[in-house]
Amino acid sequence: SQTIHQWPATLVQPVGSPLSLECTVEGTSNPNLYWYRQAAGRGLQLLFYSVGIGQISSEVPQNLSASRPQDRQFILSSKKLLLSDSGFYLCAWSGQGALGSGRANEQFFGPGTRLTVL
Amino acid sequence: DAKTTQPPSMDCAEGRAANLPCNHSTISGNEYVYWYRQIHSQGPQYIIHGLKNNETNEMASLIITEDRKSSTLILPHATLRDTAVYYCIVRVASGAQKLVFGQGTRLTINP
């Protein structure tokens, strides 16, 4: 079965410090990978998605970057954190199948990382 | 921008059916309706999806109007563990399947 891991679960960082959040998926190959952020009391916002190794698409301009060095590894980074980067960061994966194949395009979310920038 | 509108909050008594409405009046012919829910401090969880026919699985039923401009998610026997934010999303398959989350409906199940 497939599983998705994120770490750390919680993180408190000072403004201006770097950030690296890691997400790995097991039990599947060539997944689509996604990074979302949820600010306090807000909905989820898609930050980045990737359809393959080294392929990153950015949805919104921001202080963050993403990389996919391996097929099942997705990393979210920042060189200098801002207060506004605080939030709940979620990684997700989906299969490559066509929508006609039922739940093949369902997105599976990881447990999330709660980041507080002080 | 989300293509759906949902009531911000709803209450339902435990054991009763919870009916969550969603309007998607600008839905295209090749767009599906998806429902996810997010329990506090967890990642969203897939519930169900459909194109034009009503759908049912072990978690819920999805009723889509004939004109596809609205739908209703039905939790037939709500439990306290169903308290969550429920998101209705429409999307078409094109490359990576980006989900655009709106504000959702905060459903509270009362004992």
Side-chain angles (χ1 to χ4, degrees):
Chain A
S1 64
Q2 302 89 2
T3 55
I4 180 169
H5 304 278
Q6 282 186 250
W7 63 90
T10 60
L11 190 60
V12 179
Q13 292 285 97
V15 169
S17 64
L19 173 74
S20 180
L21 302 181
E22 188 163 346
C23 171
T24 58
V25 181
E26 296 177 357
T28 187
S29 59
N30 197 26
N32 294 320
L33 296 172
Y34 312 81
W35 277 111
Y36 290 85
R37 176 173 61 197
Q38 188 171 35
R42 307 283 295 275
L44 283 90
Q45 179 185 38
L46 179 64
L47 301 176
F48 302 94
Y49 68 93
S50 170
V51 299
I53 296 174
Q55 301 179 62
I56 308 294
S57 296
S58 175
E59 284 296 291
V60 293
Q62 60 211 312
N63 185 43
L64 303 168
S65 62
S67 62
R68 185 170 177 175
Q70 301 180 44
D71 181 45
R72 289 168 289 176
Q73 183 185 30
F74 206 22
I75 297 172
L76 184 70
S77 304
S78 174
K79 293 181 179 179
K80 287 186 178 182
L81 284 169
L82 306 173
L83 288 174
S84 57
D85 291 325
S86 292
F88 189 42
Y89 288 82
L90 288 155
C91 179
W93 73 272
S94 69
Q96 295 278 0
L99 256 180
S101 53
R103 291 179 64 171
N105 295 299
E106 173 183 343
Q107 285 193 18
F108 300 88
F109 287 78
T113 295
R114 192 162 301 280
L115 171 66
T116 303
V117 182
L118 302 175
Chain B
D1 293 333
K3 299 181 181 180
T4 63
T5 55
Q6 300 175 251
S9 64
M10 292 183 63
D11 285 86
C12 180
E14 187 178 17
R16 307 296 285 260
N19 298 286
L20 292 91
C22 179
N23 287 323
H24 31 80
S25 58
T26 61
I27 192 170
S28 302
N30 59 349
E31 286 184 316
Y32 287 66
V33 180
Y34 276 72
W35 283 84
Y36 281 73
R37 73 179 182 184
Q38 186 177 22
I39 296 172
H40 182 63
S41 295
Q42 297 181 22
Q45 174 192 24
Y46 166 91
I47 301 173
I48 199 167
H49 77 283
L51 182 62
K52 53 184 177 181
N53 296 322
N54 297 338
E55 302 289 342
T56 296
N57 63 20
E58 66 278 5
M59 291 182 68
S61 295
L62 174 61
I63 308 298
I64 302 175
T65 58
E66 194 169 340
D67 63 7
R68 303 212 318 125
K69 292 185 177 182
S70 66
S71 61
T72 301
L73 178 75
I74 301 172
L75 307 178
H77 304 287
T79 70
L80 297 178
R81 287 176 295 180
D82 291 322
T83 293
V85 178
Y86 287 76
Y87 297 98
C88 170
I89 300 165
V90 298
R91 75 155 202 247
V92 62
S94 56
Q97 298 85 36
K98 297 180 285 184
L99 296 177
V100 179
F101 287 84
Q103 294 302 306
T105 295
R106 183 172 298 279
L107 175 67
T108 302
I109 306 301
N110 300 308

